[in-house]
Amino acid sequence: MTAIHAQVLAPPQTRPSTREWLQHNLFDGIWNTLFTVAIAALLALVMARVGPWIARAHWGVIADHPRFWLIGLMPVELALRAYWAGGLLALMVLLTLLGVRARVRPAALLSAWGGILIAVAWVMSPVRLDQIGGLYLTLLLAVAAIAGSFPIGVLVGMGRVSPLPVVRGLCTLYIELIRGIPFITMLLWFSVFVTLVSGDALSRVERAMVAMIVFTSAYVGEIVRAGIQSVPRGQMEAARAVGLSGLATMRHVVLPQAVKNMIPALVGQFISLFKDTSLTVIIGLTELVGTGRALLAITQYLHDVREVYVFLLLTYFAFSYAMSSASRRLEQRLGLGER
């Protein structure tokens, strides 16, 4: 019997050359070519004005105070604890990325995160929240608000589509009321009027965290409501037909599909939340913007306003772009938008 040998052909090369990419994306037709030339001329004009300023700018306000930008006015004897805690979290983020790529079970990653958070809480236990500042405080506010607003938002979003009129009405009232109030007003309200009830039981940082959680939960709740309603009704009817209760249907059938659909909107909301941490400067917190304003109050740096705000712009952009990039990779992995 004659053996048949199949020749395995290499897949065709689909990656275009540099010339082909330029021709297809930048110089495809007369209008695209004119638009590309106009944009290039505009960028050259901007760089001609900005380039010399970058070269002669006084970047000492940034380079000479790395500790102040990182942790603000935290006492020197406690700074090492902040660095250890930050290092543990950075290590866990790296391990999480590697674990996701290696398809480690989510339960194992959550357990590891629980252990790391307990260790971080123990390391930072001697540090009061009002002693933290700089980038550390910005990240602390953002992480606490995201972690607190997501579960509350999920419950509010589920209540928004509840068949019970009272639950649905209360959740709708909460969402519409909070979404109709500016975030600055919410911050000022919690900073000033909540003290009439709580006194000094809550620090300014804790009041800011509560305000951000309450504010963001309403937006997350509306995103969750839209995600739940994006799941075809047939999915719920099929789950109820096989004997699942309403709660089991929501937990095992609807929410897993809804969360997948909610990823772009949720990440956009959390990016907005991260940037909104800069507004806490109006209640006296020394997060990134507050740190920059404190440095500009020093006589030596009175004229370095541009340098400070360019640095702040680049810092916020770097973190926001990292979150957006991670969201895009997650969407590609889950196959969002594909049929």
Side-chain angles (χ1 to χ4, degrees), residues 73-90:
L73 294 173
M74 184 182 297
V76 177
E77 61 272 13
L78 298 176
L80 187 60
R81 290 180 173 270
Y83 298 147
W84 270 107
L88 288 174
L89 291 175

Side-chain angles (χ1 to χ4, degrees), residues 5 9 29 38 45 57 74 141 153 164 172 176 189 196 203 206 227 241 251 254 256 278 283-284 286 289 304 307 325:
H5 299 280
L9 300 177
L45 180 62
M74 184 182 297
L141 290 171
L164 301 176
T172 301
E176 297 302 330
W189 193 87
L196 298 177
S203 66
E206 291 169 329
R251 177 183 176 185
V254 177
S278 60
I283 61 174
T286 54
V289 176
D304 295 339
E307 290 83 349
S325 178

